[in-house]
Short mmCIF file of all heavy atoms in Angstrom, two decimals:
data_model
loop_
_atom_site.label_atom_id
_atom_site.label_comp_id
_atom_site.label_asym_id
_atom_site.label_seq_id
_atom_site.Cartn_x
_atom_site.Cartn_y
_atom_site.Cartn_z
N ASP A 1 -8.39 -4.37 4.72
CA ASP A 1 -8.79 -4.84 6.04
C ASP A 1 -7.58 -5.15 6.91
O ASP A 1 -6.96 -6.22 6.80
CB ASP A 1 -9.66 -6.09 5.89
CG ASP A 1 -10.29 -6.53 7.19
OD1 ASP A 1 -10.22 -5.77 8.17
OD2 ASP A 1 -10.86 -7.65 7.23
N ASP A 2 -7.17 -4.19 7.72
CA ASP A 2 -6.16 -4.40 8.76
C ASP A 2 -4.82 -4.90 8.20
O ASP A 2 -4.30 -5.94 8.60
CB ASP A 2 -6.69 -5.39 9.81
CG ASP A 2 -5.86 -5.37 11.09
OD1 ASP A 2 -5.23 -4.34 11.38
OD2 ASP A 2 -5.82 -6.40 11.79
N ILE A 3 -4.24 -4.11 7.30
CA ILE A 3 -2.95 -4.47 6.71
C ILE A 3 -1.80 -3.88 7.53
O ILE A 3 -1.81 -2.69 7.85
CB ILE A 3 -2.86 -3.98 5.25
CG1 ILE A 3 -3.65 -4.92 4.34
CG2 ILE A 3 -1.41 -3.87 4.78
CD1 ILE A 3 -3.64 -4.52 2.88
N THR A 4 -0.83 -4.72 7.84
CA THR A 4 0.40 -4.27 8.49
C THR A 4 1.58 -4.75 7.63
O THR A 4 1.67 -5.94 7.31
CB THR A 4 0.52 -4.82 9.92
OG1 THR A 4 -0.54 -4.26 10.72
CG2 THR A 4 1.86 -4.45 10.54
N LEU A 5 2.44 -3.81 7.26
CA LEU A 5 3.47 -4.10 6.28
C LEU A 5 4.62 -3.12 6.42
O LEU A 5 4.40 -1.92 6.64
CB LEU A 5 2.87 -4.00 4.87
CG LEU A 5 3.79 -3.97 3.66
CD1 LEU A 5 4.49 -5.32 3.50
CD2 LEU A 5 2.98 -3.64 2.40
N THR A 6 5.86 -3.60 6.30
CA THR A 6 7.05 -2.74 6.32
C THR A 6 7.81 -2.86 5.01
O THR A 6 8.06 -3.97 4.53
CB THR A 6 7.98 -3.12 7.49
OG1 THR A 6 7.30 -2.88 8.72
CG2 THR A 6 9.25 -2.27 7.47
N ILE A 7 8.18 -1.71 4.45
CA ILE A 7 8.97 -1.66 3.22
C ILE A 7 10.30 -0.98 3.55
O ILE A 7 10.32 0.10 4.15
CB ILE A 7 8.22 -0.89 2.11
CG1 ILE A 7 6.93 -1.65 1.75
CG2 ILE A 7 9.10 -0.72 0.88
CD1 ILE A 7 5.93 -0.85 0.99
N ASN A 8 11.39 -1.61 3.19
CA ASN A 8 12.71 -1.14 3.57
C ASN A 8 13.23 -0.05 2.64
O ASN A 8 12.83 0.03 1.47
CB ASN A 8 13.70 -2.30 3.59
CG ASN A 8 13.28 -3.40 4.54
OD1 ASN A 8 12.84 -3.13 5.66
ND2 ASN A 8 13.40 -4.65 4.11
N LYS A 9 14.12 0.76 3.13
CA LYS A 9 14.72 1.84 2.35
C LYS A 9 15.49 1.26 1.16
O LYS A 9 16.24 0.30 1.29
CB LYS A 9 15.67 2.66 3.22
CG LYS A 9 16.28 3.87 2.51
CD LYS A 9 17.12 4.69 3.46
CE LYS A 9 17.78 5.87 2.76
NZ LYS A 9 16.78 6.81 2.20
N GLY A 10 15.27 1.83 -0.02
CA GLY A 10 15.95 1.40 -1.23
C GLY A 10 15.40 0.15 -1.87
O GLY A 10 15.92 -0.34 -2.87
N GLU A 11 14.31 -0.37 -1.33
CA GLU A 11 13.74 -1.63 -1.81
C GLU A 11 12.83 -1.40 -3.01
O GLU A 11 12.16 -0.39 -3.13
CB GLU A 11 12.94 -2.27 -0.67
CG GLU A 11 12.58 -3.72 -0.88
CD GLU A 11 12.04 -4.36 0.39
OE1 GLU A 11 11.42 -3.67 1.22
OE2 GLU A 11 12.23 -5.58 0.55
N PHE A 12 12.85 -2.37 -3.93
CA PHE A 12 11.86 -2.40 -5.02
C PHE A 12 10.79 -3.38 -4.56
O PHE A 12 10.98 -4.59 -4.60
CB PHE A 12 12.49 -2.86 -6.33
CG PHE A 12 11.66 -2.54 -7.54
CD1 PHE A 12 12.12 -1.67 -8.52
CD2 PHE A 12 10.40 -3.10 -7.71
CE1 PHE A 12 11.35 -1.37 -9.64
CE2 PHE A 12 9.62 -2.81 -8.82
CZ PHE A 12 10.10 -1.94 -9.79
N PHE A 13 9.67 -2.84 -4.11
CA PHE A 13 8.62 -3.63 -3.49
C PHE A 13 7.37 -3.59 -4.36
O PHE A 13 6.94 -2.52 -4.79
CB PHE A 13 8.29 -3.07 -2.10
CG PHE A 13 7.51 -4.03 -1.24
CD1 PHE A 13 8.16 -4.78 -0.26
CD2 PHE A 13 6.14 -4.18 -1.39
CE1 PHE A 13 7.44 -5.67 0.54
CE2 PHE A 13 5.42 -5.07 -0.61
CZ PHE A 13 6.08 -5.81 0.37
N THR A 14 6.79 -4.76 -4.62
CA THR A 14 5.65 -4.85 -5.52
C THR A 14 4.39 -5.30 -4.80
O THR A 14 4.42 -6.25 -4.01
CB THR A 14 5.95 -5.81 -6.68
OG1 THR A 14 7.02 -5.29 -7.45
CG2 THR A 14 4.74 -5.99 -7.58
N PHE A 15 3.28 -4.61 -5.10
CA PHE A 15 1.94 -5.04 -4.70
C PHE A 15 1.37 -5.82 -5.89
O PHE A 15 1.14 -5.25 -6.95
CB PHE A 15 1.03 -3.86 -4.39
CG PHE A 15 1.42 -3.07 -3.17
CD1 PHE A 15 0.84 -1.82 -2.94
CD2 PHE A 15 2.33 -3.54 -2.25
CE1 PHE A 15 1.17 -1.08 -1.82
CE2 PHE A 15 2.68 -2.81 -1.13
CZ PHE A 15 2.09 -1.57 -0.91
N LEU A 16 1.14 -7.11 -5.71
CA LEU A 16 0.69 -7.98 -6.79
C LEU A 16 -0.67 -8.58 -6.44
O LEU A 16 -0.89 -9.01 -5.31
CB LEU A 16 1.71 -9.09 -7.01
CG LEU A 16 1.33 -10.21 -7.98
CD1 LEU A 16 1.22 -9.68 -9.41
CD2 LEU A 16 2.36 -11.35 -7.91
N GLY A 17 -1.55 -8.62 -7.43
CA GLY A 17 -2.84 -9.26 -7.21
C GLY A 17 -3.80 -8.98 -8.35
O GLY A 17 -3.53 -8.15 -9.22
N PRO A 18 -4.95 -9.65 -8.36
CA PRO A 18 -5.94 -9.44 -9.42
C PRO A 18 -6.63 -8.09 -9.27
O PRO A 18 -6.48 -7.40 -8.25
CB PRO A 18 -6.92 -10.60 -9.20
CG PRO A 18 -6.82 -10.90 -7.73
CD PRO A 18 -5.38 -10.66 -7.37
N SER A 19 -7.38 -7.70 -10.27
CA SER A 19 -8.12 -6.44 -10.23
C SER A 19 -9.08 -6.44 -9.04
O SER A 19 -9.74 -7.44 -8.75
CB SER A 19 -8.92 -6.25 -11.52
OG SER A 19 -8.05 -6.17 -12.63
N GLY A 20 -9.13 -5.30 -8.34
CA GLY A 20 -10.06 -5.15 -7.23
C GLY A 20 -9.61 -5.74 -5.92
O GLY A 20 -10.39 -5.84 -4.98
N CYS A 21 -8.32 -6.13 -5.84
CA CYS A 21 -7.85 -6.81 -4.62
C CYS A 21 -7.38 -5.83 -3.55
O CYS A 21 -7.16 -6.22 -2.40
CB CYS A 21 -6.73 -7.77 -4.95
SG CYS A 21 -5.21 -6.97 -5.51
N GLY A 22 -7.19 -4.54 -3.90
CA GLY A 22 -6.79 -3.54 -2.91
C GLY A 22 -5.38 -3.00 -3.06
O GLY A 22 -4.96 -2.13 -2.30
N LYS A 23 -4.65 -3.46 -4.06
CA LYS A 23 -3.24 -3.04 -4.19
C LYS A 23 -3.12 -1.55 -4.55
O LYS A 23 -2.32 -0.82 -3.94
CB LYS A 23 -2.50 -3.91 -5.21
CG LYS A 23 -3.14 -3.98 -6.59
CD LYS A 23 -2.46 -5.05 -7.44
CE LYS A 23 -2.97 -5.01 -8.89
NZ LYS A 23 -4.41 -5.35 -8.98
N THR A 24 -3.92 -1.08 -5.51
CA THR A 24 -3.86 0.34 -5.89
C THR A 24 -4.44 1.21 -4.78
O THR A 24 -3.95 2.32 -4.51
CB THR A 24 -4.63 0.58 -7.21
OG1 THR A 24 -3.94 -0.10 -8.27
CG2 THR A 24 -4.70 2.06 -7.53
N THR A 25 -5.46 0.72 -4.10
CA THR A 25 -6.04 1.47 -2.98
C THR A 25 -5.00 1.71 -1.89
O THR A 25 -4.89 2.81 -1.35
CB THR A 25 -7.23 0.68 -2.39
OG1 THR A 25 -8.23 0.52 -3.40
CG2 THR A 25 -7.84 1.41 -1.20
N THR A 26 -4.20 0.70 -1.59
CA THR A 26 -3.14 0.85 -0.60
C THR A 26 -2.10 1.86 -1.05
O THR A 26 -1.64 2.70 -0.26
CB THR A 26 -2.46 -0.52 -0.33
OG1 THR A 26 -3.46 -1.46 0.06
CG2 THR A 26 -1.42 -0.41 0.76
N LEU A 27 -1.74 1.81 -2.33
CA LEU A 27 -0.78 2.77 -2.88
C LEU A 27 -1.32 4.19 -2.80
O LEU A 27 -0.60 5.13 -2.42
CB LEU A 27 -0.46 2.41 -4.33
CG LEU A 27 0.69 3.18 -4.97
CD1 LEU A 27 2.02 2.60 -4.53
CD2 LEU A 27 0.59 3.15 -6.50
N ARG A 28 -2.58 4.37 -3.14
CA ARG A 28 -3.18 5.70 -3.12
C ARG A 28 -3.27 6.26 -1.69
O ARG A 28 -3.16 7.46 -1.48
CB ARG A 28 -4.57 5.65 -3.75
CG ARG A 28 -4.53 5.44 -5.27
CD ARG A 28 -5.91 5.19 -5.85
NE ARG A 28 -6.77 6.37 -5.72
CZ ARG A 28 -6.79 7.39 -6.56
NH1 ARG A 28 -6.00 7.37 -7.62
NH2 ARG A 28 -7.59 8.41 -6.37
N ALA A 29 -3.42 5.37 -0.72
CA ALA A 29 -3.42 5.82 0.68
C ALA A 29 -2.04 6.33 1.07
O ALA A 29 -1.90 7.32 1.80
CB ALA A 29 -3.85 4.69 1.59
N LEU A 30 -1.00 5.67 0.59
CA LEU A 30 0.38 6.10 0.87
C LEU A 30 0.65 7.47 0.26
O LEU A 30 1.22 8.35 0.91
CB LEU A 30 1.38 5.08 0.33
CG LEU A 30 2.85 5.50 0.36
CD1 LEU A 30 3.34 5.67 1.79
CD2 LEU A 30 3.72 4.48 -0.39
N VAL A 31 0.22 7.65 -0.99
CA VAL A 31 0.46 8.91 -1.69
C VAL A 31 -0.34 10.04 -1.05
O VAL A 31 0.09 11.20 -1.05
CB VAL A 31 0.13 8.77 -3.18
CG1 VAL A 31 0.28 10.11 -3.91
CG2 VAL A 31 1.02 7.72 -3.83
N GLY A 32 -1.51 9.71 -0.49
CA GLY A 32 -2.34 10.72 0.16
C GLY A 32 -3.64 11.00 -0.56
O GLY A 32 -4.37 11.93 -0.19
N PHE A 33 -3.94 10.22 -1.59
CA PHE A 33 -5.19 10.43 -2.34
C PHE A 33 -6.40 9.89 -1.59
O PHE A 33 -7.54 10.25 -1.90
CB PHE A 33 -5.11 9.75 -3.71
CG PHE A 33 -4.06 10.32 -4.63
CD1 PHE A 33 -3.46 9.54 -5.59
CD2 PHE A 33 -3.68 11.65 -4.54
CE1 PHE A 33 -2.50 10.05 -6.45
CE2 PHE A 33 -2.72 12.19 -5.38
CZ PHE A 33 -2.13 11.38 -6.34
N LEU A 34 -6.17 9.00 -0.63
CA LEU A 34 -7.25 8.41 0.17
C LEU A 34 -6.92 8.56 1.65
O LEU A 34 -5.77 8.48 2.05
CB LEU A 34 -7.40 6.92 -0.16
CG LEU A 34 -7.86 6.52 -1.56
CD1 LEU A 34 -7.81 5.01 -1.71
CD2 LEU A 34 -9.27 7.03 -1.83
N SER A 35 -7.97 8.74 2.44
CA SER A 35 -7.79 8.82 3.89
C SER A 35 -8.24 7.50 4.52
O SER A 35 -9.38 7.06 4.29
CB SER A 35 -8.63 9.97 4.47
OG SER A 35 -8.17 11.21 3.97
N PRO A 36 -7.38 6.85 5.27
CA PRO A 36 -7.75 5.57 5.90
C PRO A 36 -8.87 5.73 6.92
O PRO A 36 -9.00 6.77 7.57
CB PRO A 36 -6.45 5.13 6.58
CG PRO A 36 -5.36 5.93 5.95
CD PRO A 36 -5.98 7.22 5.56
N ALA A 37 -9.67 4.68 7.05
CA ALA A 37 -10.69 4.65 8.10
C ALA A 37 -10.07 4.27 9.43
O ALA A 37 -10.64 4.54 10.49
CB ALA A 37 -11.78 3.66 7.72
N GLY A 38 -8.89 3.65 9.36
CA GLY A 38 -8.20 3.26 10.59
C GLY A 38 -6.76 2.93 10.29
O GLY A 38 -6.37 2.68 9.15
N GLY A 39 -5.92 2.94 11.32
CA GLY A 39 -4.51 2.62 11.15
C GLY A 39 -3.68 3.84 10.79
O GLY A 39 -4.21 4.95 10.62
N THR A 40 -2.39 3.63 10.65
CA THR A 40 -1.47 4.73 10.34
C THR A 40 -0.47 4.30 9.27
O THR A 40 -0.23 3.12 9.04
CB THR A 40 -0.68 5.17 11.59
OG1 THR A 40 0.02 4.01 12.11
CG2 THR A 40 -1.59 5.73 12.66
N ILE A 41 0.10 5.33 8.62
CA ILE A 41 1.18 5.14 7.66
C ILE A 41 2.34 6.01 8.11
O ILE A 41 2.17 7.22 8.31
CB ILE A 41 0.77 5.53 6.22
CG1 ILE A 41 -0.47 4.73 5.78
CG2 ILE A 41 1.92 5.29 5.25
CD1 ILE A 41 -1.06 5.19 4.46
#
């Protein structure tokens, strides 16, 4: 739901949270396995 986030070049950045919180879904959208309903990457 309406995530805005910047990850810097060379950074080790972690998505942390319990199961079902959206962390893997966000990663899959970056890779291209999912198409967002809104927003841009």
